[in-house]
Amino acid sequence: REPGGRRRQPLGLAHREQRNRWGLLFLIALLVVVVGRLVVLQGVDGAAYAQAATDDRMARYPIEAVRGQITDRNGQVLAYSVGAERVVADPAVVQDPTRTALALTTLLDVPVAELTEQLSRDSRYVVLARHVSTDVTEVIRELPLATRSGLVFEDDPVRLYPAGAVGGQVVGFVGSDGDGLAGIEQTHEDVLAGTDGEKRVEVDNSGNEIPSGIDETTPATDGGSVQLTLDEDLQYVVQQRLDSACADGATTSASAVVLDVHTGEVAAMASCPGYDPGRYNETDPDLLGNPVVSDVYEPGSVMKAVTLAAAIEEGKATKDTVLTVNGHIQAGDAVVTDAHDHEPIDFTVTGILAQSSNVGSIMLAREVGNSTLERYLRAFGLGSETGIELPGESAGILEDSADWTESRAANVPIGQGISVTTLQMASVYQTLANGGVRVPPRVVSSVTAADGTVTDAPRPEGTRVVSEDTAGQLTYMLEAVVGKGGTAPLGEVDGFRVVGKTGTAQRANPDCSCYTGGGYFTTFVGYAPADDPQYVVAVDLERPTSSAEGGQVAAPVFSDVMRYALTAGGVVPSGTPRPDFTLRVD
């Protein structure tokens, strides 16, 4: 006993009570932690965990915007998209790959073995087929759940080009991802593509949408449409005529463009060989451009119109001025001749152009001076891009006149030593046909947004290059080219007075980096009717093995195209006769 008579507690019992107290404290602490954690989970983080659980049940699928149409000036559709779907599988959810493959093989036109392999991959996303029609995907959706488990359908529209190769180089094409890769499809991607949406829905463990589940879909905004200045019917005629030219055995490529004289709008633009945008992947990649705006060539004598316009505008000559022209002229260490050397001839300036005298043109260019001639060349748009709404445009090649040698100074006025595109040459003659005012060519008429809002394409203001009088004298002189004694009677169009110029320029031979054996570029550019110009047509043919001249092979193509343009356009035949021209003074 302890002092005072109290009984002493056994030592083991005291230790036991102490342990119980500590155990109780531990349990209380543990309970506090658990309760606190539950409070955090349910009260603080509960919403986040609930959201995470919901997100885990949500599936996301892209909704592709419907790409806008491309039409011609009359609303004829040149490019449009139709609804289709991409069939995708999540192999981790597919219950029986072989059974699913057997059910899909005929519908997707894919071998069973290939489908079975795809459905058995260690992946969560496998594309089984693209551009599948909605009629087919509806059949797949009706298959038994065990057979179609793991299958998902995504928007995958098909781009169609109902006109085929007609206008194909202008319209362009889209790649496998739906992005524009050429032509208007490329330059107006931001207009045509629209904005994709997203389908976000709740799905079950098999990946199937729960009918009454959460649906947080964001719809797509469809693309706008682009209306071109092209006329599909005229475009067809131009393409057919060029294809015929390329089939003659000597012409390896050809280009043509038709411009509205007053607006600069492109009514037709084509080349051969061309391509079908819907089959672009079957075409030689080197042919997928647009030669009318991207390929350059030495134009030859069609350039003489610029040279003579400069001489007249600068007061060095008129259409009736008479020059004594020899058959050859010294140019530095070179001698330039006319098509055939001849004794001195008293040519009028009209005769110099009508009979395409190299020597006479060089004589007038020397009166103008190199720097002044260069200024006119650039004012007509040579050496710079036109700004056409198409990719890959070339500015051509025009050296500064300060760098011209004596031989180059003699070549440029007659269209050698300078490179241009077909579109640039057409623009030169549009300037003359339009009374001396240059209007840069354009191929887009308007853009229509998905909501129907129409925005007309901006139209650059015209720039006066030469006076109306100078342009009128050039029109008179150029009409003599297709008249009696001119170089291109095959360029005539029955019922209409035609203005134009031939060009036959040597083609560089890539085998020797020289002109020998390279053949020729043959060209004809003109406008009609002479008394009220409405259309400009430029044609050029590349003929590596031929010595035929522009008046023989390019002029007939021009005539056919111009005839159709005038008649289809409802242009009234010329009401005045062609004047009598004085080409030389005897």
Side-chain angles (χ1 to χ4, degrees):
R1 290 177 179 274
E2 296 180 348
R6 289 184 300 174
R7 185 181 296 274
R8 179 179 296 172
Q9 191 175 23
L11 182 61
L13 181 59
H15 288 169
R16 188 179 305 116
E17 290 177 352
Q18 186 177 18
R19 287 196 301 271
N20 289 340
R21 285 195 299 271
W22 283 108
L24 179 60
L25 290 174
F26 175 77
L27 290 174
I28 292 172
L30 181 62
L31 181 61
V32 169
V33 171
V34 171
V35 172
R37 184 58 178 161
L38 288 174
V39 170
V40 171
L41 289 175
Q42 296 184 1
V44 179
D45 293 340
Y49 280 100
Q51 185 62 47
T54 299
D55 290 344
D56 192 53
R57 298 193 304 274
M58 301 298 288
R60 293 177 173 82
Y61 311 111
I63 301 176
E64 292 197 26
V66 177
R67 193 173 181 87
Q69 295 182 342
I70 300 175
T71 69
D72 81 340
R73 69 197 312 163
N74 300 311
Q76 295 297 314
V77 178
L78 302 175
Y80 70 102
S81 295
V82 296
E85 293 183 292
R86 184 167 45 246
V87 181
V88 177
D90 179 355
V93 181
V94 175
Q95 296 181 15
D96 188 336
T98 301
R99 178 173 58 186
T100 301
L102 288 169
L104 297 180
T105 182
T106 301
L107 293 170
L108 300 182
D109 193 25
V110 179
V112 172
E114 182 177 338
L115 285 172
T116 302
E117 184 276 327
Q118 291 176 313
L119 294 168
S120 303
R121 289 180 185 175
D122 183 16
S123 173
R124 299 302 304 272
Y125 186 91
V126 177
V127 176
L128 303 181
R130 295 201 58 192
H131 303 314
V132 181
S133 74
T134 54
D135 290 341
V136 172
T137 56
E138 283 303 314
V139 173
I140 297 175
R141 285 183 169 91
E142 296 301 321
L143 293 173
L145 179 59
T147 301
R148 60 179 169 83
S149 63
L151 298 184
V152 176
F153 307 93
E154 299 176 351
D155 289 338
D156 194 21
V158 178
R159 193 67 167 167
L160 299 177
Y161 302 91
V166 176
Q169 292 160 315
V170 176
V171 172
F173 56 87
V174 298
S176 58
D177 60 357
D179 293 337
L181 299 181
I184 294 298
E185 294 276 31
Q186 178 180 341
T187 58
H188 284 66
E189 170 70 17
D190 57 337
V191 172
L192 295 165
T195 304
D196 292 343
E198 182 184 63
K199 183 178 182 180
R200 188 171 182 268
V201 294
E202 192 174 9
V203 296
D204 59 22
N205 291 335
S206 298
N208 299 303
E209 182 177 346
I210 299 174
S212 59
I214 299 172
D215 186 339
E216 299 176 348
T217 297
T218 302
T221 301
D222 293 340
S225 62
V226 177
Q227 184 173 44
L228 304 183
T229 60
L230 300 183
D231 182 298
E232 184 183 16
D233 293 337
L234 178 58
Q235 186 74 34
Y236 175 82
V237 170
V238 173
Q239 189 68 61
Q240 292 298 307
R241 191 60 183 85
L242 292 180
D243 289 344
S244 177
C246 283
D248 67 3
T251 302
T252 56
S253 64
S255 296
V257 62
V258 182
L259 299 182
D260 183 295
V261 166
H262 305 294
T263 65
E265 293 182 348
V266 177
M269 176 186 287
S271 298
C272 69
Y275 67 87
D276 181 345
R279 305 167 66 91
Y280 78 93
N281 54 346
E282 302 174 15
T283 305
D284 182 344
D286 291 337
L287 301 179
L288 293 178
N290 186 342
V292 176
V293 301
S294 62
D295 288 7
V296 298
Y297 65 99
E298 296 188 33
S301 295
V302 292
M303 189 62 67
K304 291 172 182 173
V306 177
T307 302
L308 271 61
I312 292 174
E313 186 73 7
E314 289 296 307
K316 304 299 182 181
T318 69
K319 61 184 176 59
D320 299 318
T321 299
V322 178
L323 297 179
T324 300
V325 180
N326 291 317
H328 59 273
I329 191 171
Q330 192 72 35
D333 57 358
V335 176
V336 180
T337 67
D338 279 346
H340 304 286
D341 204 350
H342 54 76
E343 293 298 318
I345 298 175
D346 290 333
F347 274 127
T348 62
V349 172
T350 299
I352 288 173
L353 192 58
Q355 297 197 348
S356 200
S357 170
N358 292 331
V359 175
S361 299
I362 293 170
M363 292 170 63
L364 289 167
R366 288 178 176 176
E367 288 292 315
V368 171
N370 293 347
S371 61
T372 301
L373 178 59
E374 181 198 355
R375 176 164 56 84
Y376 278 96
L377 290 168
R378 295 193 185 280
F380 272 100
L382 303 177
S384 61
E385 298 176 7
T386 67
I388 192 78
E389 309 97 322
L390 293 169
E393 183 180 15
S394 172
I397 302 172
L398 174 58
E399 292 183 347
D400 292 339
S401 57
D403 298 326
W404 293 357
T405 62
E406 289 188 55
S407 60
R408 175 59 56 86
N411 280 343
V412 170
I414 60 175
Q416 296 269 187
I418 178 175
S419 293
V420 302
T421 65
T422 306
L423 183 61
Q424 285 177 323
M425 281 313 308
S427 183
V428 167
Y429 280 73
Q430 176 276 326
T431 303
L432 297 173
N434 195 37
V437 176
R438 178 175 179 266
V439 181
R442 291 294 180 265
V443 74
V444 174
S445 177
S446 65
V447 171
T448 302
D451 64 2
T453 303
V454 179
T455 303
D456 291 333
R459 288 288 178 265
E461 293 184 4
T463 303
R464 180 160 294 283
V465 178
V466 295
S467 68
E468 188 171 357
D469 178 69
T470 295
Q473 290 194 58
L474 262 294
T475 294
Y476 172 89
M477 295 157 61
L478 289 166
E479 190 174 1
V481 173
V482 295
K484 182 178 180 181
T487 59
L490 296 179
E492 289 186 306
V493 177
D494 291 342
F496 296 92
R497 291 169 52 190
V498 174
V499 172
K501 184 70 187 78
T502 57
T504 306
Q506 288 179 292
R507 173 184 175 274
N509 187 344
D511 295 333
C512 64
S513 297
C514 63
Y515 286 117
T516 304
Y520 293 88
F521 285 103
T522 57
T523 305
F524 192 93
V525 188
Y527 47 93
D531 46 350
D532 185 18
Q534 298 298 317
Y535 295 104
V536 173
V537 175
V539 176
D540 70 84
L541 312 177
E542 185 174 9
R543 297 166 62 84
T545 61
S546 172
S547 60
E549 297 182 348
Q552 298 172 293
V553 292
V557 178
F558 164 91
S559 177
D560 290 344
V561 171
M562 181 61 83
R563 179 181 298 108
Y564 183 86
L566 293 170
T567 55
V571 179
V572 178
S574 299
T576 56
R578 178 186 296 154
D580 293 326
F581 304 103
T582 301
L583 306 184
R584 62 174 71 184
V585 178
D586 295 327

